[in-house]
Amino acid sequence: MRPAPVVRRPLAPALLVLAALVAAVALLAMSAGARWVSPLQWLPMDGSIDAALAWTWRAPRIAAAFFVGACLATSGLIFQGVFRNPLAEPYLLGSAAGAGVGAALALLLPDRVPPALSLPLLAFAGAWAASLVVLAIGRLGGAWSSARLLLAGVAIAAILSALRSLLVMLFGDESTNLRAIVSWQLGGIQTPSTAEAAGFAAILLVLMLAAHRLAFGLDALGLGDEVARTMGIDTSRFVAAAIVVAAMATAFAVAWGGLIGFVGLIVPHVMRWWLGPLHGRLVGACVLGGGALLVLADTVARTAIAPGEIPVGLLTALVGGPFFIALLLLRRAAAAT
Amino acid sequence: MVTRPSPSLVRRRLAAGLPAAAIPWPAAADDAFPVTVRDAAGRSVTIASPPQRIVPVFPSNVEIVHALGLGSRVVAIGGRVRWPPEAMDKPSIGGAVGYSPEAAAQHHPDLLVVTPSHHSALALADAFERLGTPVLQLAHPDLPSVLRNLLLLGRATGTLARARQLASDFEAQLASIRAAWQGRSVPTVYLETAAAERGAFQTIGAGHYANDALAWAGGRNVFEDLRGSVQVSAEAIAARDPEVIVSLQQRPRPAAAIAARPGWSSLRAVRTGRVVVLARGHALIPGPRQVDAVRAYAQALHPGAFA
Amino acid sequence: MLSMRRATVRAAGRTLVDALDLDVPERGLVGLVGPNGAGKSTVLRAAAGLQPLCAGDATLAGRPLARWPRAERARRLGYLPQSFDSHWDLTVAELLALALAPPSAELLARCEIDALLARRFATLSGGERARALLARTLAHDPPLLLADEPAAHLDIPHQHRLMALLAERARLRAVVVVLHDLHLAAAWCDRVALLAGGRLLADGPPSLVLTEDLLARAYGHRVQRVDARPGAFFTSAAGGHEPVDDAHGPGRSRAA
């Protein structure tokens, strides 16, 4: 039986669909929460209580959720390209755990440096250092091995998670609020000021541009290290640059959302399945898809047990895990036909 | 919409809170040994003779034991303890990263006092029960239970007279605090027990002693419909618009930092300047110093009454 | 086009290529043959810039290989590795999109893959895959093509189809191909370089290089060369088979 031909979906319509999805989810997110407010009531920015609730309290948080989701998905996309494995994601590879250690240090030492500055810096340092260690281990003995990189990542993630927990347990009570840190560790979207939310847009733009520039190299890496080198790519330098970009994205995500897993794994995976493996096509899709997913997750997090909140990282893990298993099963069935 | 609770409701609540009639033992046999007491887990624990080697685990239990004058009979402590100063010299059996049964066994304790909310403490209790060492589990869902714990420990250690003294002292202070704000309106209050920079706001609801403490201090917890320790969303706080915000912080930072949180300037507590930051210290330790916490809350809620 | 002088490659204490001299002209099909471990693939990888030389030098289009900026060198070379596996599930069209230049319709037609563009690469047959990879490698029209055993694992018709493509290309550009199969070398190459133990034993037209004497030295095994009338060949097997008349090649050999 002849295998069916595959025609890749055209990109522009797909992006439009995703943009529409983002708009729909944002609409839902603005309306839902501790109290449901219909769009008719909050859309006019007329200073009424409902409008204030939506625009003052919800909108900044929604912006942060979108930003965190977009960063996680972009980071996952780059990691999957560099490690040549669809299971790679910042959480699994220790990058998020590294950011967690950095962020924990920043939270535990609020007197030395103001957390507003130290948190993203230390988170980035942690994410970057963790990724470099994983790369170094994965490369031991010369040639890369995708499997070895993943294993190294999982090991480093475990070590760093334990380190973070230890730091928090030993020093948590001294300078800051233990419960808040524990909650943050489980994932929670922080609320930015308007200036900070505007900053998100700029940072996201930079990240997207960087990811686009990496796209061809990531595709080439997928053909094999040697083929990539014969295509003129300095693979060591390229991988190092890619890791820096991915670490930055991870750091921002962790700084504003705590430790949230699965988004970096699932979104690139789904987009690749939908749009094909060429990375240039996937950057925009991952940003929109990751953003939409996390806005939705955060909406559930602050609505389901209102006025209480569920840590959003718990939600993504609870839902993400089974969803991913379902994905795997579906793909196996499709590949078998 | 938040309304002021009726005075009769307040009175009934306070009246129900006093544990005056809670002690079941006849006065004559007050300090007789052996004694069988019932602890918070509902277990009957028999203590043969006055314990001489006590290991209290958890700051509240350490404080209660020392308040009863039993400092010389404490051989080791557990938990992140900072009070009283004499307790800090005692050997520790753990706290930050769990408790060690071996370290405790080294001291040959004849009484362990633990609090079940700490999982590792239960493992400790389990180990010693098998050895036949009496283990008392104490819980503190509200202020009256703090007093009950005092009396229970007093009975168990043969210091009931002192315990009664402390308890009536405690009640007297509570009564005087109440008298100070009596007649004033009871504001709604949001008590923040922990928070990250811009999220993860932790508070307490019914079933937590701090909720009780707020009521004794003449305030009404906006989240009293919730139970225990919970994390709430910023918009939930906004929806309930508390009149006063009390933030407990380990290293207190200026109240302006809270006012600067994005969006919080629209809260009436921020607009009217009724944001108070208190040192966390004893506020979240359910021991004899809770009365100081109640006083601190009362001063924050009714500054005019304590001028 | 490509020139190597006393090129030496050592790794893990072994000398893989020993003071090798090689000249590849701007046109023509050069075959590198020899037993396993002779250093054929190493020479090719050194030429592609994947393996640095420990001694000696190599020049590409007159400039030392090491001096070429990566991107420019990539445009001058086309490299077909021995084994290729894409980590992602690409379609043929997507694979071709990863060439250094968009392939022309003519190239696709020549490689006979224009009908396969929508197919997933993983579902192609061995021959189709080889041709698709070749199209990708040739898309930017490199002056020098380096192919490492491109005909391995292909059946006979596909082997010859592929070699025919390479030979056609060699009429206008330089092509160096590592071959295991001496028949293919004999049938298709303009020049053959015989390697053994990292050294160049002989370099010249197939009829002069693939002699019994040289082959015996290279392979350490007695070889009998049987010259058929022009236009015939057969494949040898241990027990010896009857020759079968077929299309190509001036000479072939069989193991005795």
Side-chain angles (χ1 to χ4, degrees), chain B residues 1-6 9-10 13 186-191 211 214-225 242-244 301-302:
Chain B
M1 244 331 258
V2 174
T3 52
R4 188 181 117 190
S6 69
L9 177 61
V10 175
R13 274 209 207 131
V186 174
T188 55
V189 57
Y190 159 60
L191 179 69
N211 189 51
L214 282 176
W216 279 96
R220 190 177 147 184
N221 183 7
V222 287
F223 287 111
E224 66 183 354
D225 55 318
E243 293 170 68
V244 182
L301 295 166
H302 306 276

Side-chain angles (χ1 to χ4, degrees), chain A residues 33-35 53 56-58 111 115 169-170 173-175 177-180 183 190-193 196 256 302 307-309, chain B residues 80 82 96-97 194-196 198-200 202 223 226 229 231-236 238 240 250-251 262-264 266 280:
Chain A
R35 183 162 68 90
L53 174 65
T56 315
W57 295 94
R58 289 180 183 164
D111 303 330
M169 281 179 106
L170 288 177
D173 219 33
E174 294 295 334
S175 57
N177 309 296
L178 191 59
R179 281 195 74 93
S183 167
Q190 310 279 295
T191 306
S193 66
E196 287 165 338
W256 282 97
R302 59 184 164 80
E309 280 189 333
Chain B
R80 290 196 189 90
R82 293 203 176 19
V97 206
R198 300 284 184 77
Q202 312 288 325
F223 287 111
L226 304 180
S229 291
Q231 178 175 321
V232 289
S233 60
E235 66 167 272
R240 296 181 184 213
Q250 192 70 21
R251 297 232 180 108
W264 283 50
S266 60
R280 215 150 164 264

Side-chain angles (χ1 to χ4, degrees), chain B residues 11 15 18 24 59-60 62 73 106 121 134 139 165 187 204 206 226 230 239 260 295 303:
Chain B
R11 267 199 301 276
L18 292 174
S60 56
V62 173
R73 298 200 232 164
Q106 242 177 292
Q165 179 67 45
I204 45 88
L226 304 180
V230 269
R295 188 174 299 114

